[in-house]
Amino acid sequence: MSISTAPVNGNVSFWYADTGMPDPRPGLDGNREADVAVVGAGYTGLWTAYYLKKARPDLSVVVLESRFAGFGASGRNGGWLTNSITGGRGQYVKSHGRAVVGRFQELLNETVDEVIAAADAEGIDAAVAKGGELNVARNEAQLGRLRAWAEEEAAWPEAGARLLDAGETTGRIHVAGALGSIHHPHCARIHPARLVRGLAAAVERLGVPIYEGTTVTDIQPGRAVTDRGTVHAKYVLRATEGFTANLRGHHREWLPMNSSMIATEPLPDSVWQQLGWDSMDTVADMAHAYMYAQRTADGRIALGGRGVPYRFGSRTDTDGATQPETIASLTALLQDMFPAAADARIEHAWAGVLGVPRDWKATVGLDPKTGLGWAGGYVGTGVAATNLAARTLRDLILDPGSELTRMPWVNRKVRKWEPEPLRWIAVKAMYAAYYAADRAERNGRSTTSPIAKAADLVSGR
């Protein structure tokens, strides 16, 4: 493989290096009126505009975006189209009952196929490969957590999870040191930028203008105020995810968590034969500070992790550059897990932000009195959830008695994050505990789970 050189760092993401940067769209030119103003042109905002116009072609819908469609997490993520219920099912069972939560899980399963079908219908080549999701344990402590998780999953057949032993795991992918895994089928690998660019084009074909280079500074009932004019609309829907903290009055609503990725050069067939990664599963481990990876359509490994998870004051990045030490740690992890690819050159590294609510659970809602709506807080599992959230926003506006509007994430009230420096201290302490526990477990210690202590730090208990 190639001689090592420094990777490209930033420039939004590898996914845009692969597709090329999109041509800029015009910005808003003065005030205008609409039925619905959508703030944010990522997956959530674009899917919302898409389903609203599909259901009601007569609606006037506009999308407002500060940079370009797909600039944020939608163009930088790991490409996991998966069925995760962010934050787990337990609290939802307490509030809504087992049957509703089971149906919520089924809807997320179905959403994976809905995204694939919609992309196909719109002629979007998103490099989809539905191989499922594989979560691998690589030491005894991780294996203990994996088995406990499998016992919990056994009570949720809707999720489709299956416990695999070491041999079965290696039969899917050769991950060094694999002792076992959990696999479920409701996950597909995608190319994030291809999906978001194709979705933006589909929205425009439906007659929805996307105003780029237009920064929304304030959201109020009946209007979205931007640096280029004001859009007056009956409904104003916030779909800003990790950049929500930049909006007036929303600084402490969702914490912008950073995640970083690397991508190798294309690997030769000989390496893929050693890896045995023919199933196209997405891959994660059972570490506390977990990783996530996919085999890309052009034969690379793209692998991610948290890196430096939070910047003081909820600051967000601009061009996607990540820290050299994060690139080094992710590279070392890739080489450790996939030694057949240890000599591969790292061609690109990047970072992005995701939205984290105070209770680490996604939410979608609409206040019918003010017309203000929102969706997000996906905590890194939004590629599928954005689609279900968008269809839920559609129904909250057009069909408020539908099944989707009765799901447990709808119209939840979540307390705000603490002011600085408390939230910075809490997140820093949490991830320090995670990294320390992972180091101890790699050195052979039985589980040193920091989760309860970290949860206390974050919750303020």
Side-chain angles (χ1 to χ4, degrees):
M1 284 178 270
S2 304
I3 297 173
S4 178
T5 57
V8 174
N9 189 1
N11 292 345
V12 186
S13 71
F14 159 74
W15 310 117
Y16 282 113
D18 183 53
T19 64
M21 296 295 286
D23 294 331
R25 295 175 171 88
L28 183 67
D29 185 16
N31 299 339
R32 67 158 295 172
E33 295 187 358
D35 295 314
V36 182
V38 179
V39 181
Y43 291 145
T44 300
L46 293 173
W47 280 124
T48 299
Y50 179 81
Y51 286 110
L52 281 169
K53 287 293 282 188
K54 281 282 191 179
R56 283 274 306 276
D58 61 307
L59 281 178
S60 172
V61 180
V62 302
V63 178
L64 304 168
E65 168 59 42
S66 64
R67 293 294 296 272
F68 62 82
F71 172 77
S74 299
R76 308 189 198 191
N77 64 78
W80 283 40
L81 178 65
T82 195
N83 71 341
S84 299
I85 293 179
T86 302
R89 311 180 188 98
Q91 293 299 319
Y92 288 147
V93 172
K94 293 178 182 178
S95 61
H96 288 74
R98 172 65 177 76
V100 171
V101 181
R103 180 56 185 150
F104 189 28
Q105 182 65 76
E106 290 174 344
L107 287 168
L108 279 160
N109 298 348
E110 295 164 8
T111 295
V112 174
D113 294 323
E114 168 65 21
V115 172
I116 295 171
D120 184 62
E122 296 297 340
I124 302 170
D125 178 8
V128 175
K130 191 180 179 185
E133 177 181 324
L134 191 72
N135 296 270
V136 182
R138 301 181 62 229
N139 58 50
E140 289 297 330
Q142 289 186 13
L143 185 61
R145 285 196 295 279
L146 184 86
R147 288 170 173 162
W149 183 21
E151 289 182 6
E152 295 174 3
E153 289 298 292
W156 295 93
E158 297 94 336
R162 186 165 61 96
L163 181 65
L164 307 181
D165 62 23
E168 292 170 313
T169 301
T170 302
R172 298 194 72 86
I173 303 172
H174 295 170
V175 176
L179 301 177
S181 63
I182 286 178
H183 178 267
H184 77 75
H186 304 292
C187 181
R189 173 214 72 192
I190 66 160
H191 187 300
R194 288 195 205 174
L195 177 58
V196 74
R197 293 185 66 172
L199 180 55
V203 166
E204 289 178 311
R205 288 194 296 271
L206 292 171
V208 176
I210 301 171
Y211 295 113
E212 295 184 339
T214 301
T215 300
V216 174
T217 58
D218 195 14
I219 293 174
Q220 301 174 9
R223 61 180 184 167
V225 181
T226 86
D227 58 347
R228 302 175 64 100
T230 296
V231 176
H232 298 269
K234 181 178 180 180
Y235 298 101
V236 181
L237 309 179
R238 192 186 78 235
T240 47
E241 190 55 4
F243 296 96
T244 299
N246 295 336
L247 286 168
R248 184 178 302 163
H250 296 278
H251 187 67
R252 290 167 49 199
E253 189 150 340
W254 293 339
L255 183 142
M257 185 78 74
N258 299 293
S259 201
S260 299
M261 293 196 72
I262 58 173
T264 69
E265 64 185 326
L267 306 179
D269 290 343
S270 59
V271 170
W272 289 116
Q273 288 169 6
Q274 292 178 65
L275 292 173
W277 202 336
D278 301 323
S279 60
M280 300 301 173
D281 294 9
T282 60
V283 180
D285 68 1
M286 292 296 296
H288 300 292
Y290 62 90
M291 54 72 65
Y292 50 94
Q294 66 150 283
R295 174 179 176 173
T296 69
D298 62 346
R300 307 167 190 264
I301 296 176
L303 181 146
R306 282 291 180 261
V308 176
Y310 177 67
R311 294 183 175 93
F312 187 89
S314 292
R315 295 194 308 273
T316 53
D317 77 291
T318 53
D319 69 352
T322 193
Q323 301 80 9
E325 58 269 28
T326 298
I327 299 173
S329 66
L330 292 177
T331 300
L333 180 59
L334 183 148
Q335 294 169 341
D336 184 51
M337 293 186 69
F338 308 110
D343 295 331
R345 185 177 77 251
I346 304 302
E347 285 199 345
H348 208 120
W350 70 100
V353 295
L354 48 101
V356 181
R358 185 62 167 64
D359 63 356
W360 294 65
K361 291 181 180 292
T363 182
V364 54
L366 176 73
D367 182 345
K369 294 181 180 178
T370 64
L372 297 179
W374 69 91
Y378 306 112
V379 198
T381 59
V383 180
T386 53
N387 179 279
L388 183 58
R391 287 183 283 133
T392 302
L393 280 174
R394 173 203 61 193
D395 284 7
L396 285 168
I397 292 173
L398 302 180
D399 186 15
S402 78
E403 178 187 41
L404 298 188
T405 67
R406 299 193 300 271
M407 289 299 106
W409 65 345
V410 174
N411 284 326
R412 295 188 313 108
K413 300 299 182 184
V414 183
R415 60 184 279 201
K416 292 183 177 182
W417 284 91
E418 290 74 14
E420 297 290 22
L422 294 178
R423 64 178 179 271
W424 182 83
I425 292 170
V427 176
K428 188 176 178 64
M430 178 177 67
Y431 275 91
Y434 283 174
Y435 294 138
D438 288 335
R439 285 193 299 272
E441 292 177 0
R442 286 195 298 271
N443 291 330
R445 185 178 298 180
S446 60
T447 183
T448 54
S449 176
I451 293 175
K453 183 181 291 184
D456 287 347
L457 285 167
V458 173
S459 67
R461 293 197 299 268

